[in-house]
Amino acid sequence: MSHGDNESMSLYRLLITVALCLFSTAIAYGAQSENSPLGMILGIEGSVFVERDELQRPALFADLLFDGDRVITEAGAATLIYCPSTQTLGLGNNTAALLGLESFVIESGATPTVSPSRACMLPQVALGAESLERVGALTVRGNPPVPLYLGGKISARRPTFRWAAVESADSYQLTLNDLTGTKVWEYQTTELNVSYPPSLDPLGDGDYLWELRAQTGNSTAAFQIAVFTLDPAELPTSEPASNNAERLLRAMELEHFGYYADAAEELSALLSGNPSDKPIVSRLAWLYSNAGLVAAADEAVTRLDAMP
């Protein structure tokens, strides 16, 4: 092996070490928890509010609900999942529902529609300012950083690699390696995503590192790496979501089993219809940080900071 090859291998091992350290640090934060939620807002029509500690604010899609919260519909309606009884509640106009640890009470308004729901797998970390500060503390900056959206534990043997646009780039070079430094696949594209091709054997269980070079002509405009672990599992829900509520619950289920990037992909799809929904954006920041995708987490925190 030549001196240049030794230098390349040393650099490659350094990149792997850095990526794994970032991923491990993010996972450590994910183990922390606060007061467990009792439910979540799955749908809103018209004027709906959440009252907590005598303070009332407009309800948002994906709001977590806790013991003592009151959901109030005025000229509107709300759908929420209530985990103590594993039920979905539909609240009509002019209704107030008080949530407790063992039951809910309809304080005013009509009796809600109640239907069984699949098992509740809500996040055990309620994201406040302190949690998002921890996400921000994980930020690394490159020249410039490229948000990559695939990392951490994933389930697909033919994953889809996604990344953010680099303004000056006219193409992107993706290289996939195993953690010995052996090249598994490479691809060049002008798009912002590409799936592992069906012409190749599916990926085996284990750890991989992918790198993305944003290129302007023959020059590298930006470079980023991410590590992922292929660890397929049979999840309780395998059917694709057919509506926003199901997609939200699917994201929470994926998060519950540690598939943070997969959960983030589901939530990202929801943002097209809810672009200013703070709970979704803050959850994205948390998920990306837990997947070791610090540039993507930073992008979500920056987006969150810009919201009124």
Side-chain angles (χ1 to χ4, degrees):
M1 183 179 288
S2 69
H3 176 69
D5 289 337
N6 281 328
E7 286 187 342
S8 296
M9 184 57 69
S10 296
L11 175 60
Y12 187 81
R13 287 171 178 162
L14 175 62
L15 292 174
I16 290 174
T17 301
V18 170
L20 287 174
C21 285
L22 290 170
F23 179 50
S24 299
T25 303
I27 291 296
Y29 285 130
Q32 302 200 13
S33 64
E34 300 175 22
N35 183 34
S36 297
L38 299 180
M40 175 182 281
I41 299 286
L42 301 180
I44 297 171
E45 296 179 15
S47 298
V48 179
F49 300 89
V50 173
E51 184 177 288
R52 180 177 300 155
D53 298 328
E54 299 183 354
L55 296 176
Q56 192 177 108
R57 62 167 179 80
L60 294 172
F61 179 71
D63 262 342
L64 291 174
L65 302 170
F66 297 84
D67 180 32
D69 281 359
R70 185 175 280 105
V71 180
I72 301 168
T73 64
E74 292 185 354
T79 303
L80 59 99
I81 187 170
Y82 177 67
C83 289
S85 59
T86 320
Q87 293 175 311
T88 299
L89 311 180
L91 307 180
N93 270 346
N94 298 313
T95 300
L98 177 65
L99 305 186
L101 289 172
E102 297 181 357
S103 63
F104 62 90
V105 177
I106 302 301
E107 298 180 318
S108 62
T111 301
T113 59
V114 179
S115 58
S117 181
R118 67 187 189 213
C120 284
M121 295 180 182
L122 299 183
Q124 295 306 298
V125 177
L127 300 182
E130 181 182 354
S131 298
L132 293 175
E133 284 173 5
R134 290 173 183 157
V135 172
L138 296 173
T139 298
V140 294
R141 300 188 182 278
N143 187 29
V146 185
L148 306 182
Y149 305 125
L150 180 77
K153 186 170 74 168
I154 68 169
S155 59
R157 294 197 180 278
R158 299 186 188 278
T160 297
F161 299 84
R162 305 179 192 276
W163 56 90
V166 175
E167 185 176 352
S168 62
D170 50 39
S171 68
Y172 301 91
Q173 178 77 32
L174 185 155
T175 305
L176 176 65
N177 301 278
D178 64 24
L179 292 192
T180 68
T182 301
K183 186 183 297 183
V184 177
W185 175 58
E186 63 180 353
Y187 192 80
Q188 187 165 12
T189 181
T190 58
E191 303 297 325
L192 299 179
N193 63 81
V194 62
S195 296
Y196 186 77
S199 58
L200 298 180
D201 290 338
L203 296 177
D205 294 2
D207 299 322
Y208 297 86
L209 182 146
W210 68 289
E211 59 185 49
L212 187 80
R213 292 183 184 272
Q215 298 178 319
T216 303
N218 294 324
S219 301
T220 298
F223 175 79
Q224 197 76 40
I225 62 171
V227 172
F228 67 87
T229 300
L230 180 58
D231 183 15
E234 293 294 330
L235 299 179
T237 303
S238 57
E239 294 297 321
S242 61
N243 55 53
N244 284 351
E246 288 183 3
R247 175 158 274 170
L248 178 59
L249 292 175
R250 174 65 171 169
M252 297 303 101
E253 179 181 72
L254 288 165
E255 179 179 345
H256 177 85
F257 285 99
Y259 294 99
Y260 300 114
D262 292 346
E265 184 175 346
E266 295 286 352
L267 290 187
S268 293
L270 292 173
L271 278 178
S272 59
N274 303 274
S276 300
D277 196 298
K278 287 186 175 181
I280 295 179
V281 178
S282 61
R283 202 83 219 159
L284 277 176
W286 181 255
L287 290 169
Y288 286 137
S289 72
N290 276 279
L293 301 169
V294 291
D298 183 47
E299 178 187 55
V301 170
T302 299
R303 180 174 182 173
L304 191 66
D305 288 342
M307 292 181 176

